[in-house]
Amino acid sequence: GAGVLAAYEPGPDEACISITTPGAPPAALPDGFRAVHRVAFADREHDPAAPDGCTDAQAVAIVRFARAEAPRTRRFVVHCDWGASRSPAVALALR
């Protein structure tokens, strides 16, 4: 969740993928990430009535960001405003 991320001190060789719920304000991220990719899609686990989660275009954009940053990035931080299912799913998909 946002509370844990607010206390995080990223290094200059870390990138962040930040996922929020559509319509929610972007998460406040600490300064210091070398790059940030922001995306908004519904968390179907917490809101089963929500429209589809991550679209194919969003998934492709996330992978492109990770591939582009990988040569310069030691660690990727994947954050979502619920901190329960979207961020672990994206982290596992990138693994």
Side-chain angles (χ1 to χ4, degrees):
V4 172
L5 189 60
Y8 188 75
E9 295 181 25
D13 58 350
E14 294 179 81
C16 180
I17 298 168
S18 181
I19 307 162
T20 55
T21 301
L29 301 175
D31 292 331
F33 286 111
R34 67 162 269 96
V36 175
H37 179 76
R38 292 182 182 271
V39 62
F41 58 87
D43 184 331
R44 297 289 306 270
E45 183 176 321
H46 285 93
D47 187 1
D52 289 340
C54 187
T55 66
D56 290 347
Q58 289 171 317
V60 167
I62 291 167
V63 170
R64 284 186 178 152
F65 171 79
R67 284 184 178 162
E69 289 301 318
R72 298 172 299 280
T73 299
R74 179 178 60 89
R75 180 182 321 190
F76 286 90
V77 174
V78 184
H79 158 268
C80 71
D81 53 6
W82 282 95
S85 58
R86 293 171 293 179
S87 53
V90 168
L92 284 171
L94 292 175
R95 191 167 175 244

